[in-house]
Amino acid sequence: MNLMRKTTTNYKVALILILLCVFSACKEESNPTGSSLGFFFESSNTGCKDGFGGRLQGSVGGSVVLSSFNDTIRVLHANAYYDCCSDIQTDVAKTRLGYDVLEVDHGDTCDCMCYVDITTFVCHVPMGTHLIRLLDTNGGLIDRGYVIVKPDDSGGPGQP
C-alpha cells in the first residue's frame, strides 16, 4: 500500500511538471503593451552620443529613416534630442493605415540635454503599404511616411 501511494505521488508530480513545461512552451511573444495583435516590436537607444551639452546651432532635433526588410519595419530616429538621463524606448500601436510609434521616457530627469539614436523594429508585419507615424514623448508628430513591406524570396512570414 505504501508503494502504491509513492507511485501515485510520483505520477502526480511528473504530470504537474509536464503540464508546466507545456504551458511554458506555448507562451507566445508578447508586446510590452500586453496586447495580442499579431505583431511584436523591440526598441533600443544609443544613450548620449555627444556627452553632455546643448543643441548644435541650427539643429532641429534629428532625422527619421523608415525602411523594411521582409516582414520587419525599422524606424530610426537619429539624433533625437532628449534629457541626458532619459531612457527612451518606444511603444507601438496598430492603426487603420499602419503603425504609430510613440517614444516613451522611462528614465530620470537631469539638467542637461544630449543626442541619442532610437531604433524600433516592428516585426511580423503583413505585406502592403503601411503609414508610420513617429510621435515624441508628448504625443507630438515628429515625422510620418509610408513603408512598403514586400514578400521575401523564401516564402516566409509577411506573406498571405
Side-chain angles (χ1 to χ4, degrees):
M1 181 102 133
N2 211 5
L3 180 62
M4 180 84 110
R5 282 187 196 167
K6 188 174 183 180
T7 304
T8 304
T9 303
N10 287 345
Y11 282 123
K12 288 179 182 178
V13 169
L15 181 60
I16 290 170
L17 289 174
I18 290 171
L19 288 174
L20 286 173
C21 290
V22 168
F23 288 127
S24 303
C26 291
K27 182 180 176 188
E28 294 183 13
E29 293 183 38
S30 62
N31 295 325
T33 58
S35 61
S36 174
L37 301 172
F39 70 94
F40 71 95
F41 60 92
E42 298 175 2
S43 67
S44 63
N45 68 64
T46 60
C48 286
K49 291 170 44 175
D50 61 349
F52 304 109
R55 183 184 294 257
L56 298 175
Q57 283 271 329
S59 172
V60 293
S63 61
V64 177
V65 178
L66 303 173
S67 60
S68 69
F69 179 76
N70 292 337
D71 68 341
T72 300
I73 294 173
R74 182 184 75 143
V75 180
L76 169 64
H77 186 185
N79 296 319
Y81 194 63
Y82 280 109
D83 188 288
C84 298
C85 295
S86 293
D87 179 18
I88 304 294
Q89 300 297 319
T90 58
D91 194 7
V92 177
K94 176 78 175 101
T95 65
R96 188 172 61 83
L97 298 175
Y99 298 89
D100 283 351
V101 179
L102 174 66
E103 294 178 345
V104 180
D105 186 357
H106 294 287
D108 294 324
T109 302
C110 295
D111 192 22
C112 58
M113 302 293 285
C114 69
Y115 295 96
V116 298
D117 290 345
I118 304 161
T119 305
T120 303
F121 293 99
V122 184
C123 307
H124 297 295
V125 175
M127 288 187 310
T129 302
H130 303 276
L131 172 64
I132 306 299
R133 296 188 311 174
L134 180 62
L135 307 169
D136 66 19
T137 57
N138 296 317
L141 182 66
I142 297 170
D143 201 356
R144 68 179 181 188
Y146 289 93
V147 175
I148 299 172
V149 175
K150 297 178 182 178
D152 65 358
D153 293 332
S154 68
Q159 299 192 30

